[in-house]
Amino acid sequence: MLGHDRIDAETYHRDIVPGLLIGEHGRRAEAGLAGLDPIGMRIGDGAWTYRPHDSRLRIVEGIDADAGCVIRLSPDAWTDLVTLLRTAAALAIAGDVDTERGSLVDLFRWEPALRALYQGIEIYIPHSTEVFDRQGRKVDPAAELTLDHSDRELAEHFTATGVMRVRGVFSAAEIATFEAEVDRLAAEARPDDDRSWWAERENGEPVLCRIVYASERSAPIGALARDPRLVRLATLIHPDLAASTDRMEGISVLLKPPGRLKGLANIPWHTDCGLGGHHIMCPSVAIGIQLTGSNADNGYLEAIPGSHGRTCPQPRAEDLADLPYLAVPTDPGDVTVHMADVLHASPAPAGVGGRRTMYVTFHPPTLFEHVGPGEAVNDLIRSRTASELDAGLGR
């Protein structure tokens, strides 16, 4: 069951918020206030204004006249925002947030500070392009790692960066077997089969961009959920993670077709919990098995190392020079490993395209408690209607 008890906004603002503001949550929220104008929130029959004040966050009852943005949320929608069950983007997609003044962009700009206040999630504000571990030692996110490195070495690197490339994990023979299975599944895929994602070319032609639940229809691919090499890499930091083959789209295959496409073939900067469910699906670890290898010409993974476990505002192209930006070229048989909440992207190929990457994702026990077979967190979030909320909350 995906849901929380409704939070009473009046009680929360009267009894909970003052303590948050003077504690660690408030201090973390302050880091995200620069450049923000006051925002008003109407929640049910109540209203509050959030405003930067002398570099501190101040919240007052009512809507101040100088609030550049005023939004209206139902008590259920606001509860989802407070608990991170749904993000501002998910509320906007569902039509569950209205603007009386300003635009939703204002709410998106406020969201890092709101997450810090409500959940204590630190805002990622790098002070250089370098990444450091917990001991203050500089870490090279692009380091050449292999399975010959010790668990300690791999874990320290992954803890600091949230993303890494491990060379030569699978042999050429193993990759050839997987490629043959992907060829078979791709030939069988149809746009309405519920086991694939399709993009669209400029002329309207559908093109396959992802195969999902490949683990259901291929014994060699399904066996990857128990592969000791992958289990080792996935559990370096969180030993209780387990691969899912019957939910969260199972083991999937990313395909990078060439050309300009409409749809989900190329995904901009995001986290895998970007629509919500952070407390359910994080920490998750996604391992990308590189079937073709990857580079700028056929498309590759991009990431902001060190952004995991924090809220990282989406960067513009001109911001990347000031961030610890990482592009991850690979050879066939390499794997990429990334935390679900590290900021990452899957940009369009600069050239001919054709990359193939197979993803095996390992999830915490909380996910298996809330997400059943055939379900995914994002599906449940997108389908939350008023009636489902009422049923889920027992009203």
Side-chain angles (χ1 to χ4, degrees), residues 9 14 41 73 75 89 116 120 159 197 232 265 274 292 310 312 321 378 381:
R14 183 188 67 232
M41 292 191 189
L73 296 165
T159 298
W197 295 6
R232 176 193 174 198
T292 60
R310 304 169 181 174
C312 183
N378 284 351
I381 290 168

Side-chain angles (χ1 to χ4, degrees), residues 158 241 280-286 338-341 361-364 367:
F158 195 41
L241 303 188
I280 294 170
M281 66 184 298
C282 292
S284 291
V285 173
H338 72 265
M339 301 294 296
D341 60 352
T361 304
F362 292 73
H363 299 289
L367 182 127

Side-chain angles (χ1 to χ4, degrees), residues 22-36:
I22 64 174
E24 182 69 13
H25 286 215
R27 185 191 66 77
R28 291 185 172 183
E30 292 165 11
L33 297 179
L36 295 181

Side-chain angles (χ1 to χ4, degrees), residues 21-363:
L21 287 173
I22 64 174
E24 182 69 13
H25 286 215
R27 185 191 66 77
R28 291 185 172 183
E30 292 165 11
L33 297 179
L36 295 181
D37 295 322
I39 186 171
M41 292 191 189
R42 296 193 190 278
I43 306 161
D45 296 327
W48 292 265
T49 298
Y50 290 56
R51 63 167 54 253
H53 180 74
D54 294 334
S55 300
R56 304 292 298 274
L57 175 58
R58 183 184 179 199
I59 302 175
V60 296
E61 191 168 2
I63 302 297
D64 286 356
D66 64 344
C69 175
V70 178
I71 63 170
R72 180 181 291 277
L73 296 165
S74 71
D76 293 323
W78 181 75
T79 295
D80 285 357
L81 186 67
V82 170
T83 60
L84 279 185
L85 183 55
R86 287 193 290 172
T87 63
L91 294 174
I93 291 170
D96 287 341
V97 54
D98 296 318
T99 55
E100 297 180 10
R101 192 186 307 166
S103 74
L104 287 176
V105 173
D106 299 301
L107 175 60
F108 298 153
R109 293 182 65 222
W110 263 93
E111 191 168 24
L114 296 178
R115 291 183 185 178
L117 177 68
Y118 297 147
Q119 294 289 330
I121 297 176
E122 183 180 357
I123 300 172
Y124 179 67
I125 304 177
H127 300 291
S128 75
T129 59
E130 298 178 337
V131 178
F132 298 89
D133 65 15
R134 291 177 177 175
Q135 289 73 43
R137 298 172 300 195
K138 183 178 176 180
V139 176
D140 177 11
E144 295 284 321
L145 300 171
T146 73
L147 293 179
D148 291 334
H149 284 82
S150 68
D151 285 359
R152 180 185 61 80
E153 291 170 320
L154 293 170
E156 287 180 352
H157 181 96
F158 195 41
T159 298
T161 63
V163 58
M164 62 183 178
R165 173 187 55 198
V166 184
R167 293 291 200 181
V169 174
F170 289 90
S171 69
E174 289 175 305
I175 294 300
T177 296
F178 298 142
E179 281 273 63
E181 291 295 282
V182 171
D183 286 341
R184 177 177 62 81
L185 294 174
E188 296 171 355
R190 299 292 182 271
D192 59 352
D193 62 10
D194 199 34
R195 286 296 180 266
S196 56
W197 295 6
W198 295 74
E200 188 175 287
R201 300 192 189 278
E202 290 183 294
N203 63 3
E205 177 190 359
V207 56
L208 180 65
C209 62
R210 190 180 292 259
I211 300 168
V212 299
Y213 291 108
S215 40
E216 290 181 340
R217 293 163 289 148
S218 167
I221 293 175
L224 289 169
R226 302 175 300 280
D227 189 291
R229 295 164 293 186
L230 301 188
V231 172
R232 176 193 174 198
L233 293 173
T235 58
L236 288 167
I237 303 173
H238 303 284
D240 59 348
L241 303 188
S244 58
T245 58
D246 65 346
R247 64 203 76 194
M248 297 297 289
E249 299 180 342
I251 297 176
S252 63
V253 185
L254 171 69
L255 307 170
K256 280 286 187 182
R260 298 184 62 179
L261 304 170
K262 293 185 292 184
L264 293 172
N266 306 305
I267 305 177
W269 292 106
H270 68 286
T271 62
D272 295 337
C273 55
L275 290 180
H278 173 78
H279 61 292
I280 294 170
M281 66 184 298
C282 292
S284 291
V285 173
I287 299 182
I289 301 168
Q290 308 300 311
L291 302 182
T292 60
S294 61
N295 51 52
D297 195 47
N298 70 357
Y300 50 23
L301 174 70
E302 298 179 326
I304 305 299
S307 60
H308 56 300
R310 304 169 181 174
T311 299
C312 183
Q314 189 173 70
R316 302 164 299 177
E318 58 267 31
D319 297 330
L320 297 179
D322 299 319
L323 293 170
Y325 163 79
L326 177 67
V328 192
T330 60
D331 294 321
D334 294 348
V335 305
T336 59
V337 189
H338 72 265
M339 301 294 296
D341 60 352
V342 75
L343 194 67
H344 60 284
S346 179
V352 298
R355 172 165 76 96
R356 287 179 166 188
T357 302
M358 194 154 50
Y359 277 101
V360 187
T361 304
F362 292 73
H363 299 289

